[in-house]
Amino acid sequence: MSIFRFILICALAVAPSVAWSAGETDQAATPPQPVEKPAPYDVKLQRFAEILGSVHYLRNLCAEHDPSWRQAMAALLDDETKGEPKRAAQLTAAFNRGYRSFAATYARCTPQAVEAESRYRAEGATLAAEITARFGN
């Protein structure tokens, strides 16, 4: 048997496993998902989301139903987390944490709840100004 025939027989014997491996290689060759890198302002943005959740709860507790704070959070998620589900989950968790922290504290509107809402809105406005001044375009 010639060396050429021997190589051909070996190649054919290995071919099914090579073809199967090629399928795995094709899957591995798909472009990797983009790595989610935290933005330099993510810590402040998470605090801002937490404030939105807090104010959303307090405004609905002390005033008529006001969906604008939840809508602001939805807009923030749309603008900041396209294609970044982990960042979206972190911001959503921050919003919910803010909401739940006041839901656990206040069952009815009190002067303290009104004051807390006012302070949180002021902190949120300050954070928004800081973030946009430093990182905005």
Side-chain angles (χ1 to χ4, degrees), residues 33-42 45 76-92:
Q33 296 297 323
V35 176
E36 293 185 36
K37 295 181 182 178
Y41 51 88
D42 268 358
L45 198 61
L76 176 70
L77 288 172
D78 287 344
D79 292 342
E80 283 293 324
T81 63
K82 284 186 177 40
E84 297 178 293
K86 289 181 185 175
R87 280 185 76 217
Q90 290 172 339
L91 290 174
T92 301

Side-chain angles (χ1 to χ4, degrees), residues 75-115:
L76 176 70
L77 288 172
D78 287 344
D79 292 342
E80 283 293 324
T81 63
K82 284 186 177 40
E84 297 178 293
K86 289 181 185 175
R87 280 185 76 217
Q90 290 172 339
L91 290 174
T92 301
F95 179 90
N96 291 337
R97 186 172 47 251
Y99 185 94
R100 288 183 187 126
S101 69
F102 279 99
T105 306
Y106 297 106
R108 61 184 175 81
C109 186
T110 64
Q112 293 84 5
V114 172
E115 180 65 24

Side-chain angles (χ1 to χ4, degrees), residues 23-67:
E24 289 180 354
T25 305
D26 289 344
Q27 291 174 354
T30 57
Q33 296 297 323
V35 176
E36 293 185 36
K37 295 181 182 178
Y41 51 88
D42 268 358
V43 171
K44 288 186 179 207
L45 198 61
Q46 286 179 17
R47 177 63 183 151
F48 185 72
E50 191 172 345
I51 289 169
L52 286 175
S54 299
V55 172
H56 176 66
Y57 177 79
L58 291 168
R59 293 288 289 196
N60 287 323
L61 181 68
C62 293
E64 62 186 59
H65 180 68
D66 183 6

